[in-house]
Each structure stands twice: as structure tokens, then as C-alpha cells.
Amino acid sequence: MDRIEELENALTIESAYADHIRVDDARRLTGPGLLWNRPGAVMDVFFTDIGTAQVTALWEKHARRVLDGLGWQDQDVTHRSFTGGVNLAISAPMDQLYSAIFAVQTVWHFCAAELLASEPGDFDQMVADVKSVMEKEANPALIALIVAAEAHGVDILCDDDEVSIGHGTGSQTWPVDALPTPDDLDWSALHNIPVAFITGTNGKTTTTRLLEAIARASGKVAGLTSTEFVRVGDDILDRGDYSGPGGGRMLLRDKRLEVACLEVARGGILRRGLPTRAAMAAAVTNVANDHLGQYGVNTVPELAQAKFAVHRTLAEGGVLALNADDEFVRAEAANTSANIWWFSLDAQNALIRQARDAGKCCAYVRSGKIVFFDGAAERVVIAVGDVPLTMGGVAKYNILNALAALCLALALNLPVQAARKGLAGFKPDARDNPGRCNEFLYNGARVFVDFAHNPHSISAVCDALSSLPAKRRFIMLSHAGDRSDQDIHDVTATALNFEPDVVVATELEGYLRGRELGDISDLIERAALDHGYGAHQILRAPSPTQAASMILEKLEPGDVALLLVLSDRDAVLAMLDR
């Protein structure tokens, strides 16, 4: 039997504890994340009727013993407690991350044995088995490059297939099994470029696109990663959700790139971590209730902890741009020593006043103008009304996105003139910002298309559009099936702040996620009826395309329609373009 298979078979003692404990598969950590900024491996353990302190004490004891047995005396142990469980992690050399998974499982084997008062496997044999995996995985050439890159102050990016040193125009990439020696390299040709990370519950895509527009306006070749594609200049490298570290590496290895704008989502941070520790700037746009219940992130404050992992990507002197108007961002900011640049809609926000008094950079709105304070003096950048994305100032969430992008741009040393040009030239249309409150004129009516899908984003869009004059209002609603009945009711109630005259509930056949067709529409209808709507005001459609068609057929001059499109996006946009 193969040594690896023997090891896998040996790590089964914890299954006897299934009534009280559940262990998720261990996974590699390739960069900075929720727990720390080191590579290694982590497992999530969920339990009842066991004391958290008992579990973490066992972890610390057995992890240290296993690490020492592996010869990893210079590696560390950590854990994070949450309601109902713990994240348990070790650090490991960058060329030993698969071995680290076996090491984590071995540690847990001994923890579970002690919890069960059972006889564990032979320690020496199990450590020897992990060492046999380490021998197969070892890549001394990679370690030599990592040490040399650090000595030269240049970033190095590693994955299963490739290794690169430097970013963009200053990068070079090799297959992981054909690495050069440090002496083979022309280190003068390798360098980092300005990199910014953008995260948050809402606004991260728009802020990323805004920052890229500003970088372009400065004459730089800019690129971005997002939940939709990776792009350098006008060239889309690939389509798909690239808000994780793989998308970041793809972008940063493109030799045309001069400025990188990386959207990063919760999932990538928690699964693998972030791709670099050499960013010049990072931003957290906001934190709200969304996608809770995974990897031990069960509350909004815990989600804020995850989002704030971007501060671990910052190089020395890097800037963390934070939303001073968001309560969860303000609370989590107390746990970081990063160089914070606050931004706010209110020049009198307490954190903005404190920043100005302390001579620290910040951005805010005063008398209808976006202002940047550089630590010594104020500078008016642009009038809010001259930023098309703000819809004349009614889209307050996009004013915040503009402030975040401004802080990031200036932290990347882009000129104020470029920030002004980029903010003024960026349109809320399907070309510049697809799916984010895109406006169309249809039969004399104003039609807005948005991909908002959680209460926070839907509330922001509906609040902005509710102030627009309208003869009649129409809204298209749908929800993914993995939300609870109460969540769907609450999100629908939030959307009704738009005060629609007609609600069209549509099915999302590809997003049922365990529900039956009709379930979501039933919940939408019930929520609307609970809020005083008559049955004649609530319509149903089998797909977003057909729901949009139903609304468009009814539109007359002076009407306003909001289409919250979660699928069939291209078809709906094409219908409006025609």
C-alpha cells in the first residue's frame, strides 16, 4: 500500500466522535487570510458538548509536538474560536503545503484520541509517513527563489503550476518544475507595481472598476480582477469568478500591466488567502449580513474580521482605506495597526475630524463636493454632481465608492487630475459598470438594471431610485433558494421601499438550491401581500427574461422600472439595447 494511502487510512479515529463533532476537510493556506499572513494548512472543527478551551489546548500541545517531529521547529501554531467550533492551523514552508494538510490531520488524530480517551496511532510511524510525503513534495529551488526574492525586496507568487517574481512589467514566470537559480536572474529587471485590494459586502466591484478607470486616465496600463473576469487594458484574459488568489496571480503575471486593481471576495480569503504581501493599498467598502455560516464566519463582526484580512497584504507604509460611515468597519478597525485613511459622506464624521486633527489623510463630502485632506490641507477634487455614477448625488452608496476609489488612487501615487478625470468619465452604463444600476430609456420610461442580491445592496439601490419622479413604478424580484424564508421575506420587504405599483416575481431555475419551482415566488408574493399590496399588483414569470419582457410591454412615458437581474443578464441587457 502507498505510504500516503496508509496515512489517510490511519487518520480515522475522529469519526467515532461524529455525534458531537464534525471536521471539515483540511485545506491549504497559500497567503494572508483570516487567521494570519503565513502559508500553511487549516481545518475547521465544529462541536457540541465540548469546551472550546479543551480543544484549543489539545491543538496547541499536539501541533507543537508534530511540528517538532517533522523538523518544522520554525513553524507556528494558531487557532481561532467561533460559536460552535474552532479554526485550527499550522504554518508550513511554501513547498510543503500538501504535506501540511497531512500534518494537520495527524495533529487532529492525536487530539481526537485524547478527547475519546482512545489509543492513538504510533506517533513515530505517523510522523515518518508525513515525512515521506514531504520528501515527494519538496522543492528546494522554490525555497531558494523565495529567500532571494525577499532579500531583493521583490514579490514572489507561487501556485501548483507556475512561479513568478515581480509584477506586471517587472515580472518573469517559470514552470514550477523548471525553476532557475537565483544567480541566473537579472534582478534589476524584476520589480513590483502598484497593487490595490478591494473588498466589502457591497461596492467592491464598482470601486475596483472606478480605480481602474482612474489608473487608465493617468496613462497607465491598468488591469483588474473581479467576480466576472480578469482584464488588462481592453483585453479580457478569462471570464468567470476570479475574485480569489488565482485571478490575482493571473493578472499580476501579465507583462503589460502597470497598475493592478484586485477585487477580493470572502470565499477566496477564507479558502486559500490572498496572493501577495506587497500591496500599496487596500480598501474595505462596508460589511453587512451576507453569506454567513461558512468556515466559522457566522456573524457580521466575524465577517468584518475576514474582510479585514486585506490589511495583511500591505507592504510597509501601505494604506488601508476604510468607510467611516459603517459601524462594523469602525469596530474592526480597532484591531489593526495599519495606516488608515478614512472616508465618509460627512465632513463632520467623528473619525474624519480626528484624522484631520491628527494630520492624517482622509476623504469626505463637503457642500456637495468630494474633498481630499492630504494631512495638511484640503483639496476639492470634484463636485458630486460631476460624478455620473452618483446620479446627481442620490446614489449615496456610489459616492462612498467614489471616495474609496479616490483614496486608493492617491495611495497608489496616481495624480489628482487623473482621479478627477476618471471619476468624471466613468458612466453607470453596461460598458463601464455592467450590472450596477445601468440606465436605459425604453418607450419614454427609465429602466434600471442592477445585480443587487442582498438586503444591503437592494436597500441602497431602492433608496436611490425611490427619489426619482415616476408616473408608475415596476420592479422585478427573484432570490436564490439557499436563503431562509425569513431572509427572502426581509429582502423583499426592503425592495418594496422602491414603492412599486407592480411587482413581478420570477423563477431562477438555476438557483433553486434545494427548493422547488414556485417556492421563491410564493414567498415574494406573501411578503408583498403582508405589506399591503393587492394580488392584482403581483405578477409571476418563469424566467428573468420573460419577467423583463412583461414589464417592458407595460411601460409608458414617465414610468420607472427596476430590474434586479440575478440570471439571464446578457439576455435582459440585449433586450434593452434593442
Side-chain angles (χ1 to χ4, degrees):
M1 183 184 294
D2 183 89
R3 274 301 205 198
I4 294 177
E5 188 177 350
E6 288 179 2
L7 180 57
E8 289 173 336
N9 290 338
L11 301 171
T12 58
I13 192 169
E14 66 270 18
S15 64
Y17 221 65
D19 290 343
H20 301 281
I21 199 160
R22 175 173 63 85
V23 181
D24 280 357
D25 289 340
R27 62 189 183 277
R28 294 175 297 157
L29 296 175
T30 58
L34 172 62
L35 300 180
W36 54 8
N37 65 353
R38 303 193 65 173
V42 62
M43 72 166 34
D44 307 320
V45 180
F46 307 88
F47 47 78
T48 58
D49 303 324
I50 306 173
T52 299
Q54 180 185 11
V55 175
T56 57
L58 288 173
W59 177 257
E60 295 285 338
K61 178 178 77 171
H62 291 296
R64 188 70 267 161
R65 185 182 177 212
V66 168
L67 289 177
D68 290 346
L70 296 174
W72 287 356
Q73 286 85 357
D74 58 341
Q75 300 302 321
D76 290 332
V77 180
T78 193
H79 65 266
R80 169 186 167 268
S81 302
F82 54 85
T83 302
V86 290
N87 308 121
L88 304 172
I90 62 170
S91 67
M94 197 67 193
D95 69 332
Q96 300 278 270
L97 299 189
Y98 283 105
S99 301
I101 290 176
F102 286 106
V104 162
Q105 293 170 327
T106 300
V107 174
W108 179 250
H109 171 89
F110 290 103
C111 293
E114 192 161 341
L115 286 169
L116 286 167
S118 299
E119 186 68 26
D122 181 81
F123 178 86
D124 291 336
Q125 183 60 58
M126 295 182 75
V127 166
D129 288 340
V130 177
K131 284 185 173 181
S132 72
V133 180
M134 291 167 56
E135 290 174 7
K136 295 179 180 180
E137 190 182 8
N139 190 339
L142 173 60
I143 298 302
L145 282 181
I146 290 172
V147 171
E150 182 175 351
H152 284 86
V154 186
D155 195 22
I156 183 166
L157 306 176
C158 312
D159 56 41
D160 292 344
D161 301 314
E162 295 181 317
V163 175
S164 58
I165 298 179
H167 305 150
T169 57
S171 69
Q172 192 169 352
T173 304
W174 305 268
V176 72
D177 57 357
L179 298 177
T181 67
D183 291 340
D184 292 334
L185 301 183
D186 178 7
W187 289 97
S188 65
L190 301 172
H191 60 79
N192 300 336
I193 64 170
V195 174
F197 286 95
I198 301 95
T199 194
T201 302
N202 302 115
K204 55 185 177 291
T205 299
T206 296
T207 302
T208 302
R209 292 169 176 171
L210 267 176
L211 179 60
E212 188 211 26
I214 293 170
R216 286 187 184 219
S218 74
K220 300 291 187 181
V221 176
L224 61 80
T225 64
S226 70
T227 54
E228 297 176 21
F229 51 69
V230 179
R231 184 177 69 199
V232 175
D234 294 323
D235 183 14
I236 293 178
L237 306 185
D238 200 7
R239 293 186 181 275
D241 186 349
Y242 279 106
S243 58
R249 289 189 292 267
M250 182 189 301
L251 178 67
L252 291 170
R253 286 170 176 163
D254 192 293
K255 291 181 70 65
R256 298 167 293 178
L257 187 70
E258 295 178 307
V259 177
C261 313
L262 288 81
E263 175 185 347
V264 288
R266 166 204 55 87
I269 292 171
L270 296 173
R271 278 192 297 272
R272 289 283 183 265
L274 295 154
T276 176
R277 300 172 186 80
M280 291 178 64
V284 182
T285 59
N286 54 56
V287 182
N289 183 352
D290 195 34
H291 296 300
L292 299 179
Q294 294 179 310
Y295 304 108
V297 175
N298 303 316
T299 67
V300 180
E302 288 173 338
L303 182 60
Q305 294 174 16
K307 299 290 186 182
F308 265 68
V310 293
H311 87 269
R312 296 193 172 99
T313 69
L314 296 173
E316 186 176 354
V319 169
L320 181 63
L322 297 179
N323 182 355
D325 298 341
D326 186 286
E327 61 174 313
F328 296 107
V329 171
R330 292 195 301 268
E332 186 59 29
N335 299 321
T336 176
S337 59
N339 176 23
I340 296 174
W341 289 9
W342 292 105
F343 59 89
S344 170
L345 296 174
D346 182 8
Q348 296 307 310
N349 179 291
L351 291 169
I352 296 296
R353 293 201 312 270
Q354 291 172 17
R356 289 201 305 263
D357 291 345
K360 295 184 177 179
C361 297
C362 53
Y364 43 90
V365 176
R366 186 195 297 280
S367 302
K369 295 180 173 60
I370 289 177
V371 177
F372 184 77
F373 180 76
D374 65 6
E378 289 185 337
R379 180 167 185 174
V380 174
V381 177
I382 192 171
V384 169
D386 291 336
V387 180
L389 210 60
T390 71
M391 298 173 59
V394 300
K396 297 189 184 307
Y397 62 97
N398 271 337
I399 303 176
L400 284 167
N401 293 335
L403 289 164
L406 172 64
C407 287
L408 292 170
L410 298 182
L412 297 182
N413 295 319
L414 298 174
V416 172
Q417 295 88 336
R420 183 180 299 115
K421 183 178 178 182
L423 293 173
F426 191 85
K427 303 295 193 299
D429 58 27
R431 180 184 180 279
D432 285 351
N433 202 26
R436 270 67 182 180
C437 216
N438 302 152
E439 182 177 359
F440 300 83
L441 188 65
Y442 191 94
N443 195 31
R446 299 177 73 178
V447 181
F448 296 87
V449 177
D450 201 286
F451 298 167
H453 62 282
N454 58 50
H456 191 276
S457 59
I458 289 175
S459 176
V461 172
C462 289
D463 286 348
L465 298 184
S466 64
S467 64
L468 299 180
K471 186 171 72 174
R472 296 178 303 168
R473 297 177 184 274
F474 297 79
I475 192 168
M476 181 176 85
L477 283 175
S478 57
H479 305 295
D482 55 355
R483 294 185 181 277
S484 70
D485 289 4
Q486 187 62 50
D487 284 345
I488 292 170
H489 186 283
D490 293 345
V491 174
T492 302
T494 297
L496 295 178
N497 292 335
F498 180 59
E499 299 183 352
D501 298 282
V502 176
V503 176
V504 180
T506 180
E507 302 292 341
L508 295 177
E509 193 165 353
Y511 292 84
L512 292 175
R513 295 172 182 171
R515 292 185 182 267
E516 298 295 326
L517 280 171
D519 289 354
I520 304 299
S521 293
D522 287 345
L523 291 168
I524 293 172
E525 181 173 2
R526 189 177 308 147
L529 291 172
D530 289 347
H531 283 76
Y533 280 76
H536 66 285
Q537 294 176 280
I538 307 166
L539 307 178
R540 295 195 183 205
S543 72
T545 305
Q546 290 168 282
S549 180
M550 289 172 61
I551 290 175
L552 296 181
E553 288 175 2
K554 297 178 182 297
L555 290 180
E556 299 174 357
D559 291 341
V560 173
L562 172 57
L563 310 182
L564 296 174
V565 183
L566 301 187
S567 69
D568 295 1
R569 299 172 183 178
D570 291 343
V572 171
L573 292 174
M575 188 186 306
L576 288 162
D577 280 336
R578 289 196 298 270

